[in-house]
Coordinates of all heavy atoms in Angstrom, one line a residue:
V63 N 54.0 89.2 96.5 CA 53.3 87.8 96.5 C 54.5 86.9 96.4 O 54.6 86.4 95.3 CB 52.3 87.7 95.5 CG1 51.7 86.4 95.4 CG2 51.2 88.8 95.5
A64 N 55.2 86.5 97.3 CA 56.4 85.7 97.3 C 55.9 84.2 97.1 O 55.0 83.8 97.8 CB 57.3 85.8 98.4
D65 N 56.6 83.4 96.2 CA 56.2 82.1 96.1 C 57.1 81.3 97.3 O 58.2 80.9 97.0 CB 56.8 81.6 94.6 CG 56.2 80.1 94.5 OD1 56.0 79.4 95.4 OD2 56.4 79.9 93.2
R66 N 56.5 81.0 98.3 CA 57.2 80.4 99.3 C 57.8 79.0 99.1 O 58.7 78.6 99.6 CB 56.2 80.2 100.6 CG 55.7 81.5 101.1 CD 56.9 82.3 101.9 NE 56.6 83.7 102.1 CZ 57.5 84.7 102.2 NH1 58.8 84.4 102.1 NH2 57.0 85.9 102.5
L67 N 57.0 78.2 98.3 CA 57.4 76.9 97.8 C 58.8 77.1 97.0 O 59.7 76.3 97.2 CB 56.3 76.1 97.0 CG 56.7 74.8 96.5 CD1 57.1 73.8 97.8 CD2 55.6 74.1 95.8
Q68 N 58.8 78.0 96.1 CA 59.9 78.2 95.4 C 61.1 78.7 96.2 O 62.4 78.2 96.0 CB 59.7 79.3 94.2 CG 60.9 79.5 93.4 CD 61.4 78.4 92.4 OE1 60.5 77.4 92.3 NE2 62.5 78.4 91.9
I69 N 60.9 79.5 97.1 CA 61.9 80.0 98.1 C 62.5 78.8 98.9 O 63.7 78.6 99.1 CB 61.5 81.0 99.0 CG1 61.1 82.4 98.1 CG2 62.4 81.4 100.1 CD1 60.4 83.5 99.0
Q70 N 61.6 77.8 99.3 CA 61.9 76.8 100.0 C 62.8 75.8 99.1 O 63.8 75.3 99.8 CB 60.7 75.9 100.6 CG 61.0 74.8 101.5 CD 59.7 74.1 102.0 OE1 58.6 74.4 101.5 NE2 59.9 73.1 102.8
R71 N 62.4 75.7 97.9 CA 63.3 74.8 97.1 C 64.7 75.4 96.9 O 65.7 74.7 96.9 CB 62.5 74.6 95.7 CG 61.4 73.7 95.6 CD 60.7 73.7 94.4 NE 59.6 72.8 94.5 CZ 58.6 72.9 93.8 NH1 58.4 74.0 92.9 NH2 57.4 72.1 94.0
L72 N 64.7 76.7 96.7 CA 66.0 77.4 96.5 C 66.9 77.3 97.7 O 68.0 77.1 97.7 CB 65.8 78.8 96.1 CG 65.2 79.0 94.8 CD1 65.0 80.6 94.5 CD2 66.1 78.5 93.6
K73 N 66.3 77.4 98.9 CA 67.0 77.2 100.1 C 67.6 75.8 100.4 O 68.7 75.7 100.8 CB 66.2 77.7 101.3 CG 66.0 79.1 101.4 CD 65.2 79.5 102.7 CE 65.1 81.0 102.8 NZ 64.3 81.3 104.0
K74 N 66.7 74.8 99.9 CA 67.3 73.4 99.9 C 68.5 73.2 99.0 O 69.4 72.6 99.6 CB 66.1 72.5 99.6 CG 65.1 72.1 100.8 CD 64.1 71.1 100.2 CE 63.9 70.1 101.3 NZ 62.9 69.2 101.1
R75 N 68.3 73.7 97.9 CA 69.4 73.7 97.0 C 70.7 74.3 97.5 O 71.8 73.8 97.4 CB 69.1 74.2 95.6 CG 70.1 74.2 94.5 CD 70.5 72.9 94.1 NE 71.6 73.1 93.1 CZ 72.3 72.1 92.5 NH1 71.9 70.9 92.9 NH2 73.3 72.2 91.7
K76 N 70.5 75.5 98.0 CA 71.6 76.2 98.7 C 72.3 75.4 99.8 O 73.5 75.3 99.9 CB 71.2 77.5 99.2 CG 72.2 78.4 99.5 CD 71.6 79.7 100.0 CE 72.6 80.6 100.9 NZ 72.0 81.7 101.6
L77 N 71.5 74.7 100.5 CA 72.1 74.0 101.7 C 72.8 72.8 101.1 O 74.0 72.4 101.5 CB 71.0 73.4 102.6 CG 71.3 72.6 103.7 CD1 72.2 73.4 104.7 CD2 70.2 72.2 104.6
W78 N 72.2 72.1 100.0 CA 72.9 71.0 99.4 C 74.4 71.6 99.0 O 75.4 70.8 99.0 CB 72.1 70.6 98.3 CG 72.9 69.2 97.6 CD1 72.8 68.0 98.1 CD2 73.7 69.5 96.6 NE1 73.6 67.2 97.2 CE2 74.0 68.1 96.3 CE3 74.0 70.5 95.7 CZ2 75.0 67.8 95.2 CZ3 75.0 70.0 94.5 CH2 75.4 68.8 94.4
L79 N 74.3 72.6 98.2 CA 75.5 73.2 97.7 C 76.6 73.5 98.8 O 77.8 73.2 98.7 CB 75.3 74.6 96.9 CG 74.7 74.4 95.6 CD1 74.2 75.8 95.1 CD2 75.5 73.8 94.5
K80 N 76.2 74.0 99.9 CA 77.1 74.3 101.0 C 77.8 73.0 101.6 O 78.9 72.9 101.8 CB 76.2 74.8 102.3 CG 77.2 75.3 103.4 CD 76.3 75.9 104.5 CE 77.1 76.2 105.7 NZ 76.3 76.6 106.8
D81 N 76.9 72.1 101.6 CA 77.4 70.6 102.1 C 78.4 70.1 101.1 O 79.5 69.5 101.4 CB 76.3 69.6 102.2 CG 75.4 69.9 103.5 OD1 75.9 70.7 104.4 OD2 74.3 69.3 103.5
R82 N 78.1 70.2 99.8 CA 78.9 69.8 98.7 C 80.3 70.5 98.8 O 81.3 70.0 98.6 CB 78.3 69.8 97.3 CG 79.1 69.3 96.2 CD 79.3 67.9 96.2 NE 80.0 67.5 95.1 CZ 80.9 66.4 95.0 NH1 80.7 65.5 96.0 NH2 81.3 66.2 93.9
I83 N 80.2 71.9 98.9 CA 81.4 72.7 99.0 C 82.2 72.3 100.1 O 83.5 72.2 99.9 CB 80.9 74.2 99.0 CG1 80.4 74.6 97.7 CG2 82.2 75.0 99.5 CD1 79.7 76.0 97.8
S84 N 81.7 72.1 101.3 CA 82.5 71.7 102.5 C 83.2 70.4 102.2 O 84.3 70.1 102.5 CB 81.5 71.5 103.7 OG 81.0 72.7 104.0

Side-chain angles (χ1 to χ4, degrees):
V63 183
D65 184 352
R66 297 292 169 204
L67 185 58
Q68 181 65 19
I69 292 173
Q70 184 179 4
R71 287 180 183 144
L72 292 176
K73 285 183 177 181
K74 279 184 141 181
R75 174 71 179 167
K76 188 177 164 196
L77 183 59
W78 180 87
L79 287 170
K80 181 180 176 187
D81 290 343
R82 181 71 180 156
I83 288 168
S84 294

